[in-house]
Amino acid sequence: MDYTEIYQKLESAFNKTNIQKYDVCQLWSCLSCDLLYDLKKDQYAFPVVGSMKFINKITNQRGEYIYNNQNGDFHVVTFFCQNKTWSLLDFSTKHLSVKVPCAPCVTGFKIDQVSLADNPVIISIPELNDLNGDSQDLKKVVQIIPKIKSISKDGEKYLYEFKPDHIYQKLSTLNEKELKSLEHVLGLEF
């Protein structure tokens, strides 16, 4: 899978539609799922809501979204399965402005994040290795993904941690319209 090519398609769709790229992780995730999900190729992709922490080790900048179902903070990533190998893909990290921990009044602070778009985090989910795309499989995914405690990538330049909560299910009306525009530009009609 050429993740750089997927990222370039996503980036191109945002550029062609002039839809804001920043702080719309749900659009990045849903659109990437549209591109990646292919039952004929045994490829599955799901938008997953949770909490994200990020530390740039070079600049020591930190950012986080802590999801608790009441504070409005959340982050959405893509869980992707191909050839029974699961990966966490986060195409939006380059386009996030985050709250600064210990300074809740400071928002919109953009940290210099390394894009995880072309650098998937491989995760082990053996209970989900035998998907075939039926409704029972979807139920299994919905039940098992929230049981994952934490997924992290500790690289030379950054530390990234994601704690999944649930499969993202409903876009706002505005986001739904924006997603349709993005899909149209990419020739994805459902």
Short mmCIF file of all heavy atoms in Angstrom, two decimals, residues 146-172:
data_model
loop_
_atom_site.label_atom_id
_atom_site.label_comp_id
_atom_site.label_asym_id
_atom_site.label_seq_id
_atom_site.Cartn_x
_atom_site.Cartn_y
_atom_site.Cartn_z
N PRO A 146 -12.70 -0.74 21.03
CA PRO A 146 -12.64 0.03 22.29
C PRO A 146 -11.88 -0.68 23.42
O PRO A 146 -11.49 -0.04 24.39
CB PRO A 146 -14.11 0.20 22.67
CG PRO A 146 -14.86 0.02 21.41
CD PRO A 146 -14.08 -0.96 20.59
N LYS A 147 -11.65 -1.96 23.29
CA LYS A 147 -10.92 -2.70 24.32
C LYS A 147 -9.41 -2.49 24.24
O LYS A 147 -8.69 -2.84 25.16
CB LYS A 147 -11.25 -4.19 24.23
CG LYS A 147 -12.69 -4.50 24.57
CD LYS A 147 -12.99 -5.97 24.44
CE LYS A 147 -14.46 -6.25 24.72
NZ LYS A 147 -14.80 -7.66 24.52
N ILE A 148 -8.94 -1.91 23.14
CA ILE A 148 -7.52 -1.65 22.99
C ILE A 148 -7.15 -0.49 23.92
O ILE A 148 -7.74 0.58 23.85
CB ILE A 148 -7.18 -1.30 21.52
CG1 ILE A 148 -7.53 -2.49 20.62
CG2 ILE A 148 -5.72 -0.92 21.38
CD1 ILE A 148 -7.47 -2.16 19.14
N LYS A 149 -6.20 -0.71 24.79
CA LYS A 149 -5.86 0.30 25.81
C LYS A 149 -5.16 1.52 25.22
O LYS A 149 -5.50 2.65 25.53
CB LYS A 149 -4.96 -0.33 26.89
CG LYS A 149 -5.62 -1.47 27.63
CD LYS A 149 -6.69 -0.97 28.56
CE LYS A 149 -7.29 -2.10 29.32
NZ LYS A 149 -8.71 -2.06 29.47
N SER A 150 -4.13 1.28 24.40
CA SER A 150 -3.35 2.39 23.89
C SER A 150 -2.47 1.90 22.75
O SER A 150 -2.02 0.75 22.74
CB SER A 150 -2.47 2.96 25.00
OG SER A 150 -1.68 4.00 24.51
N ILE A 151 -2.23 2.77 21.80
CA ILE A 151 -1.34 2.49 20.68
C ILE A 151 -0.35 3.64 20.64
O ILE A 151 -0.75 4.81 20.64
CB ILE A 151 -2.13 2.43 19.36
CG1 ILE A 151 -3.17 1.33 19.43
CG2 ILE A 151 -1.19 2.21 18.18
CD1 ILE A 151 -4.28 1.48 18.41
N SER A 152 0.92 3.32 20.61
CA SER A 152 1.89 4.41 20.60
C SER A 152 3.01 4.13 19.61
O SER A 152 3.29 3.00 19.26
CB SER A 152 2.46 4.66 21.99
OG SER A 152 3.12 3.53 22.45
N LYS A 153 3.62 5.22 19.20
CA LYS A 153 4.80 5.15 18.33
C LYS A 153 5.81 6.11 18.93
O LYS A 153 5.55 7.30 19.07
CB LYS A 153 4.45 5.55 16.91
CG LYS A 153 5.62 5.42 15.97
CD LYS A 153 5.17 5.48 14.53
CE LYS A 153 6.32 5.26 13.61
NZ LYS A 153 6.38 3.92 13.09
N ASP A 154 6.93 5.57 19.33
CA ASP A 154 7.98 6.35 19.95
C ASP A 154 9.14 6.42 18.97
O ASP A 154 9.96 5.51 18.88
CB ASP A 154 8.41 5.70 21.27
CG ASP A 154 9.24 6.64 22.13
OD1 ASP A 154 9.59 7.73 21.65
OD2 ASP A 154 9.52 6.27 23.27
N GLY A 155 9.16 7.49 18.19
CA GLY A 155 10.19 7.65 17.17
C GLY A 155 11.31 8.54 17.65
O GLY A 155 11.31 9.05 18.77
N GLU A 156 12.26 8.75 16.77
CA GLU A 156 13.41 9.58 17.08
C GLU A 156 13.00 11.05 17.27
O GLU A 156 13.51 11.74 18.13
CB GLU A 156 14.40 9.48 15.92
CG GLU A 156 15.81 9.90 16.25
CD GLU A 156 16.72 9.62 15.07
OE1 GLU A 156 16.99 8.44 14.79
OE2 GLU A 156 17.16 10.61 14.45
N LYS A 157 12.01 11.48 16.46
CA LYS A 157 11.60 12.88 16.47
C LYS A 157 10.35 13.15 17.29
O LYS A 157 10.07 14.28 17.64
CB LYS A 157 11.36 13.36 15.04
CG LYS A 157 12.59 13.33 14.17
CD LYS A 157 12.26 13.79 12.78
CE LYS A 157 13.48 13.71 11.88
NZ LYS A 157 13.15 14.08 10.50
N TYR A 158 9.56 12.10 17.54
CA TYR A 158 8.28 12.35 18.21
C TYR A 158 7.78 11.12 18.96
O TYR A 158 8.21 10.00 18.72
CB TYR A 158 7.23 12.77 17.19
CG TYR A 158 6.96 11.70 16.15
CD1 TYR A 158 6.00 10.72 16.35
CD2 TYR A 158 7.70 11.65 14.99
CE1 TYR A 158 5.77 9.73 15.43
CE2 TYR A 158 7.49 10.65 14.05
CZ TYR A 158 6.52 9.69 14.28
OH TYR A 158 6.31 8.71 13.36
N LEU A 159 6.85 11.40 19.87
CA LEU A 159 6.11 10.35 20.57
C LEU A 159 4.64 10.60 20.25
O LEU A 159 4.15 11.72 20.40
CB LEU A 159 6.33 10.42 22.08
CG LEU A 159 5.42 9.52 22.92
CD1 LEU A 159 5.73 8.05 22.67
CD2 LEU A 159 5.56 9.84 24.39
N TYR A 160 3.97 9.58 19.79
CA TYR A 160 2.57 9.67 19.42
C TYR A 160 1.83 8.57 20.18
O TYR A 160 2.28 7.43 20.19
CB TYR A 160 2.43 9.45 17.91
CG TYR A 160 1.00 9.36 17.41
CD1 TYR A 160 0.37 10.47 16.87
CD2 TYR A 160 0.31 8.15 17.43
CE1 TYR A 160 -0.93 10.39 16.38
CE2 TYR A 160 -0.99 8.06 16.95
CZ TYR A 160 -1.60 9.18 16.42
OH TYR A 160 -2.87 9.09 15.94
N GLU A 161 0.72 8.94 20.82
CA GLU A 161 -0.08 7.94 21.53
C GLU A 161 -1.55 8.17 21.21
O GLU A 161 -2.02 9.30 21.22
CB GLU A 161 0.14 8.05 23.03
CG GLU A 161 -0.66 7.04 23.82
CD GLU A 161 -0.47 7.18 25.32
OE1 GLU A 161 -0.14 8.29 25.79
OE2 GLU A 161 -0.67 6.18 26.01
N PHE A 162 -2.25 7.07 20.93
CA PHE A 162 -3.68 7.14 20.65
C PHE A 162 -4.39 6.09 21.50
O PHE A 162 -3.97 4.95 21.56
CB PHE A 162 -3.97 6.87 19.16
CG PHE A 162 -5.43 6.99 18.81
CD1 PHE A 162 -6.02 8.23 18.67
CD2 PHE A 162 -6.21 5.86 18.64
CE1 PHE A 162 -7.37 8.35 18.36
CE2 PHE A 162 -7.56 5.97 18.32
CZ PHE A 162 -8.13 7.22 18.19
N LYS A 163 -5.47 6.53 22.15
CA LYS A 163 -6.30 5.62 22.96
C LYS A 163 -7.68 5.56 22.30
O LYS A 163 -8.44 6.53 22.38
CB LYS A 163 -6.41 6.11 24.40
CG LYS A 163 -5.09 6.08 25.12
CD LYS A 163 -5.21 6.58 26.54
CE LYS A 163 -3.84 6.53 27.21
NZ LYS A 163 -3.88 7.02 28.57
N PRO A 164 -8.00 4.44 21.64
CA PRO A 164 -9.29 4.34 20.95
C PRO A 164 -10.47 4.28 21.91
O PRO A 164 -10.35 3.72 23.01
CB PRO A 164 -9.18 3.05 20.15
CG PRO A 164 -8.05 2.30 20.71
CD PRO A 164 -7.19 3.25 21.49
N ASP A 165 -11.59 4.85 21.50
CA ASP A 165 -12.81 4.79 22.30
C ASP A 165 -13.93 4.07 21.55
O ASP A 165 -14.56 3.19 22.08
CB ASP A 165 -13.27 6.20 22.70
CG ASP A 165 -14.41 6.15 23.70
OD1 ASP A 165 -14.13 5.95 24.89
OD2 ASP A 165 -15.58 6.26 23.27
N HIS A 166 -14.18 4.48 20.30
CA HIS A 166 -15.26 3.85 19.54
C HIS A 166 -15.12 4.17 18.05
O HIS A 166 -14.39 5.07 17.66
CB HIS A 166 -16.64 4.31 20.05
CG HIS A 166 -16.90 5.77 19.88
ND1 HIS A 166 -16.48 6.71 20.80
CD2 HIS A 166 -17.54 6.46 18.90
CE1 HIS A 166 -16.85 7.91 20.39
NE2 HIS A 166 -17.49 7.79 19.24
N ILE A 167 -15.88 3.43 17.24
CA ILE A 167 -15.94 3.70 15.81
C ILE A 167 -16.73 4.99 15.60
O ILE A 167 -17.80 5.17 16.19
CB ILE A 167 -16.65 2.54 15.05
CG1 ILE A 167 -15.96 1.20 15.29
CG2 ILE A 167 -16.77 2.85 13.56
CD1 ILE A 167 -14.63 1.04 14.65
N TYR A 168 -16.20 5.87 14.78
CA TYR A 168 -16.88 7.15 14.49
C TYR A 168 -18.08 6.85 13.60
O TYR A 168 -17.95 6.18 12.58
CB TYR A 168 -15.90 8.08 13.77
CG TYR A 168 -16.38 9.50 13.66
CD1 TYR A 168 -16.37 10.33 14.76
CD2 TYR A 168 -16.83 10.01 12.45
CE1 TYR A 168 -16.80 11.65 14.67
CE2 TYR A 168 -17.24 11.32 12.35
CZ TYR A 168 -17.22 12.14 13.46
OH TYR A 168 -17.65 13.43 13.36
N GLN A 169 -19.25 7.33 13.99
CA GLN A 169 -20.45 6.92 13.27
C GLN A 169 -21.20 8.02 12.56
O GLN A 169 -21.80 7.78 11.53
CB GLN A 169 -21.39 6.22 14.25
CG GLN A 169 -20.68 5.05 14.88
CD GLN A 169 -21.62 4.03 15.46
OE1 GLN A 169 -22.80 4.23 15.52
NE2 GLN A 169 -21.06 2.93 15.88
N LYS A 170 -21.20 9.22 13.07
CA LYS A 170 -22.08 10.24 12.49
C LYS A 170 -21.36 11.56 12.34
O LYS A 170 -20.89 12.15 13.30
CB LYS A 170 -23.30 10.42 13.41
CG LYS A 170 -24.33 11.37 12.90
CD LYS A 170 -25.27 10.67 11.94
CE LYS A 170 -26.43 11.57 11.62
NZ LYS A 170 -26.56 11.90 10.24
N LEU A 171 -21.28 12.03 11.09
CA LEU A 171 -20.73 13.35 10.82
C LEU A 171 -21.80 14.41 11.06
O LEU A 171 -22.99 14.13 10.92
CB LEU A 171 -20.27 13.44 9.36
CG LEU A 171 -19.02 12.66 8.97
CD1 LEU A 171 -18.89 12.64 7.45
CD2 LEU A 171 -17.79 13.27 9.59
N SER A 172 -21.36 15.61 11.35
CA SER A 172 -22.31 16.73 11.43
C SER A 172 -22.84 16.98 10.02
O SER A 172 -22.26 16.53 9.03
CB SER A 172 -21.61 17.98 11.96
OG SER A 172 -20.69 18.46 11.00
#
